[in-house]
Amino acid sequence: MSLPEDEAASLLARMEPRDVEAVSIEIAKVGSVPYDEQEVVIHEFASYNPNAVGLGGGGLGLARSLVEKALGKNATATLDNVQQSIEALPFGFLKNVDSQNLLTFIVDEHPQTIALILSHMAPAKAAEILAGLPSDRQLSVIRRVATMGHTNPEIIHEVEQGLAHRMASVMSQSFEKAGGVQSVAEVLNVTDRATERSLLENLAQEDPDLVEEIRRLMFVFEDINKFSDKDLQTVLKNVESAQWAMALKGASEELKEKIFGNMSQRAADLLREEMDYLGPVRLSDVESTQQQIVDIIRRLEDAGELSIHSGDEDEQFIT
């Protein structure tokens, strides 16, 4: 799966037919593969891999294409066997169902039923479902998975058919990700300050961690570029030079020049020297310091000492 199709097919063509079938079945079973997982597998296979790229994923389509290129006219029997094998896998229809949608349908099932379903899913997807269950049910389910032995095929088929019937409408629809913390931040960024403050204060009483996450997304370090010189002067008075030196290591040239331009020539030269003296720094340290400055800015805004509200950008003033 890491190779271009033509090269992979050429490799398959050198295998025995039974091996082609076995490998193709495994390809057809595989969905999307994270790069780090691919890298581990390849390093286990060889000592080097200079051209590693992330996988586009497997699936029946790729398996069929490779077998046809490898076996040509003799591919029919192998393709039939691969397809029959994949379609016969219990709960195979869940492969392309979003984990959150599936969780909605099975969360209230008996733990034994959930255990049966999870034991027939890929480990990564089963882990997502398990994580979404209440803690008490997690324990019941994982205990049943661990002690599950042979299961009557008729029971598996019955559970599978029942779930497929209930999820028929979900599997026939496509879904689009919407909402989320980022969306809330974007909406509040263009909401009047009074409404924003009221909403966040009320929400903080129920979920302060969520409010903190929203606040962090509402204003990011690079947004300092939007400040008036007056507001930036206020910020400069409240942030230490060492913090600026670290934070600006990861800033755009435009923001650096804006900061330097609001300092005296001597202060700007000293800050540049301090940045040069730091040398290479960890990205995590830069981002952490930038967030410290953002937190200071939010406190200044709450105290009424400056305004970072983007909704004020088009505000008209009269003399």
Side-chain angles (χ1 to χ4, degrees):
M1 286 167 55
S2 303
L3 298 173
E5 282 193 28
D6 288 341
E7 292 182 26
S10 177
L11 189 60
L12 278 180
R14 290 169 169 77
M15 297 181 181
E16 292 294 325
R18 65 177 182 276
D19 294 327
V20 172
E21 183 176 317
V23 171
S24 300
I25 288 173
E26 292 305 316
I27 290 175
K29 290 179 182 178
V30 175
S32 177
V33 180
Y35 171 74
D36 54 351
E37 189 173 322
Q38 175 204 5
E39 188 176 33
V40 169
V41 173
I42 289 177
H43 277 292
E44 289 177 357
F45 178 76
S47 58
Y48 68 95
N49 179 33
N51 299 311
V53 294
L55 298 182
L60 187 57
L62 176 59
R64 180 182 292 111
S65 177
L66 292 178
V67 172
E68 288 174 345
K69 290 179 180 180
L71 302 183
K73 296 180 180 179
N74 300 319
T76 303
T78 299
L79 284 173
D80 288 343
N81 290 338
V82 171
Q83 186 155 354
Q84 288 175 12
S85 175
I86 292 301
E87 292 177 347
L89 289 174
F91 301 99
F93 68 93
L94 295 177
K95 181 179 179 182
N96 296 317
V97 176
D98 178 73
S99 298
Q100 194 59 46
N101 289 330
L102 176 57
L103 183 62
T104 301
F105 277 85
I106 69 172
V107 66
D108 294 323
E109 292 283 354
H110 189 281
Q112 186 68 29
T113 301
I114 301 176
L116 179 64
I117 295 170
L118 296 191
S119 65
H120 287 89
M121 297 177 67
K125 193 157 189 172
E128 291 178 2
I129 299 298
L130 187 65
L133 296 172
S135 56
D136 57 331
R137 292 179 72 78
Q138 287 178 352
L139 184 60
S140 298
V141 169
I142 206 66
R143 183 185 295 118
R144 284 169 169 80
V145 172
T147 57
M148 188 177 294
H150 297 290
T151 305
N152 188 325
E154 292 183 2
I155 295 177
I156 296 176
H157 180 71
E158 183 179 340
V159 174
E160 181 183 21
Q161 290 301 108
L163 185 59
H165 177 72
R166 287 192 292 130
M167 297 193 69
S169 61
V170 173
M171 292 186 292
S172 64
Q173 299 176 27
S174 59
F175 292 85
E176 181 177 306
K177 182 174 176 57
V181 177
Q182 181 64 51
S183 294
V184 174
E186 291 171 358
V187 170
L188 291 182
N189 266 335
V190 293
T191 302
D192 66 89
R193 182 68 176 117
T195 301
E196 173 202 321
R197 185 187 294 274
S198 174
L199 285 171
L200 291 180
E201 286 178 353
N202 290 329
L203 183 58
Q205 296 176 13
E206 300 178 10
D207 195 336
D209 291 338
L210 177 59
V211 169
E212 181 62 24
E213 189 177 354
I214 293 172
R215 280 182 174 275
R216 287 176 182 271
L217 290 175
M218 285 181 63
F219 181 87
V220 295
F221 185 73
E222 282 291 327
D223 288 338
I224 294 174
N225 256 324
K226 303 174 184 177
F227 278 9
S228 67
D229 289 344
K230 179 183 177 181
D231 283 340
L232 184 53
Q233 291 287 340
T234 301
V235 176
L236 286 169
K237 294 175 184 176
N238 287 273
V239 177
E240 296 179 5
S241 177
Q243 289 176 297
W244 283 120
M246 177 64 76
L248 291 179
K249 293 285 283 188
S252 65
E253 289 302 317
E254 181 184 3
L255 179 55
K256 290 178 184 176
E257 291 308 313
K258 186 175 181 71
I259 298 297
F260 295 145
N262 277 272
M263 293 178 163
S264 66
Q265 185 63 50
R266 173 175 166 74
D269 289 342
L270 288 173
L271 180 55
R272 288 189 181 96
E273 289 179 11
E274 191 168 359
M275 290 172 64
D276 291 339
Y277 179 76
L278 285 174
V281 294
R282 289 193 294 267
L283 177 61
S284 59
D285 291 338
V286 173
E287 292 176 341
S288 174
T289 306
Q290 289 180 347
Q291 188 57 54
Q292 290 172 17
I293 295 175
V294 168
D295 291 341
I296 290 172
I297 291 171
R298 294 297 308 200
R299 289 198 294 272
L300 290 171
E301 185 200 25
D302 288 339
E305 296 184 40
L306 56 81
S307 172
I308 65 174
H309 206 260
S310 58
D312 295 337
E313 289 178 358
D314 299 326
E315 186 78 22
Q316 296 183 352
F317 292 85
I318 58 175
T319 58

